[in-house]
C-alpha cells in the first residue's frame, strides 16, 4: 500500500503551517486533530490550565476522525511541544488509535525546548516504527522559523 498521511494538532498555527508544507511537498493526505472543547484563544489561560493538568497525563476528548487509519502505512505526526513533550491532543490520538505496524514520522514545533517529545511518542507507539524525527524551531511567541526551510525541505525529501 505505502500510503502516507500527515496528522497534526496546532494551537498557534505553526504546526499547521509545517503540516501543510509537508502535504504539498509529498502530495499526501492530511488530517488536523481538534479537541472537542476548543482551547481558549487566550494563550496565558491555556498555559495556566494545561500546566496544572500536565502531571496527570490527561487526554482531552478529541473530535472524531473521519478517516480509516488502515488505509495508511505511514503517519507523519505533527505536534507542538507542551511542557517538554507532545501536546495532550496528540497524546489522546495515540492512546485511542491502534498504530501497530505503521511507520510514525514525528515532527515537533517549539521555541527551542524539545524535551522528551519524541521519547514520549515512542512510548505510546511501541508496536510501530518511529523514525526520522524532526525538531522544528520557531522564535518564541512568533511564527518566524529559526530552523531553515532548506533543512525542513531536505528532511521532507528524505521521506519521498
Amino acid at each position: 500500500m505505502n500510503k502516507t498521511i500527515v496528522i497534526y494538532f496546532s494551537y498557534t498555527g505553526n504546526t499547521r503551517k509545517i503540516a501543510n508544507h509537508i502535504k504539498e511537498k509529498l502530495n499526501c493526505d492530511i488530517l488536523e486533530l481538534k479537541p472537542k472543547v476548543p482551547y481558549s484563544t487566550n494563550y496565558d489561560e491555556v498555559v495556566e490550565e494545561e500546566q496544572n493538568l500536565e502531571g496527570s497525563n490527561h487526554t482531552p476528548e478529541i473530535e472524531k476522525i473521519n478517516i480509516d487509519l488502515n488505509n495508511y502505512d505511514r503517519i507523519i505526526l505533527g505536534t507542538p511541544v507542551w511542557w517538554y513533550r507532545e501536546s495532550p491532543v496528540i497524546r489522546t490520538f495515540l492512546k485511542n488509535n491502534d498504530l501497530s505496524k505503521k511507520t510514525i514520522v514525528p515532527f515537533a514545533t517549539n521555541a527551542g525546548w524539545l524535551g522528551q517529545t519524541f521519547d514520549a511518542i515512542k512510548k505510546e507507539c511501541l508496536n510501530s516504527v518511529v523514525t526520522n524525527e524532526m525538531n522544528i524551531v520557531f522564535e518564541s511567541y512568533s511564527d518566524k522559523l529559526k530552523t531553515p526551510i532548506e533543512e525542513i525541505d531536505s528532511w521532507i525529501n528524505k521521506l519521498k
Side-chain angles (χ1 to χ4, degrees):
M1 184 180 356
N2 232 358
K3 195 156 181 207
T4 298
I5 186 169
V6 178
I7 297 178
Y8 72 96
F9 166 71
S10 188
Y11 174 69
T12 64
N14 289 344
T15 308
R16 178 181 302 110
K17 181 190 306 184
I18 300 300
N20 282 316
H21 185 71
I22 295 166
K23 177 203 179 301
E24 294 303 315
K25 292 280 189 181
L26 295 180
N27 191 27
C28 63
D29 295 340
I30 192 167
L31 173 69
E32 181 175 6
L33 301 173
K34 296 182 179 183
K36 269 197 175 175
V37 177
Y39 287 107
S40 169
T41 56
N42 180 321
Y43 179 81
D44 292 332
E45 189 178 298
V46 174
V47 167
E48 183 175 331
E49 182 179 329
E50 288 300 316
Q51 194 166 17
N52 289 335
L53 292 170
E54 189 54 29
S56 69
N57 288 324
H58 82 288
T59 50
E61 282 190 69
I62 61 175
E63 290 182 6
K64 184 175 175 9
I65 60 173
N66 59 354
I67 54 140
D68 183 354
L69 292 173
N70 292 318
N71 293 333
Y72 300 93
D73 300 308
R74 181 171 65 169
I75 297 172
I76 300 173
L77 186 69
T79 183
V81 175
W82 288 21
W83 292 274
Y84 311 106
R85 54 194 287 211
E86 80 280 21
S87 66
V89 168
I90 291 295
R91 190 176 315 130
T92 299
F93 172 75
L94 294 174
K95 286 181 187 285
N96 291 351
N97 293 281
D98 180 8
L99 304 179
S100 298
K101 300 185 173 117
K102 296 193 183 301
T103 299
I104 310 298
V105 179
F107 71 92
T109 57
N110 59 85
W113 309 288
L114 180 64
Q116 301 298 313
T117 303
F118 296 140
D119 290 337
I121 290 170
K122 286 177 184 172
K123 285 179 186 170
E124 291 294 332
C125 299
L126 292 176
N127 297 315
S128 306
V129 175
V130 180
T131 186
N132 293 316
E133 302 92 335
M134 181 64 180
N135 181 28
I136 300 171
V137 180
F138 285 81
E139 289 183 1
S140 291
Y141 305 103
S142 168
D143 62 356
K144 187 171 188 282
L145 270 171
K146 284 179 80 174
T147 301
I149 192 68
E150 297 80 14
E151 190 177 322
I152 296 167
D153 285 344
S154 175
W155 168 72
I156 294 168
N157 286 333
K158 289 176 188 169
L159 300 177
K160 288 183 177 178

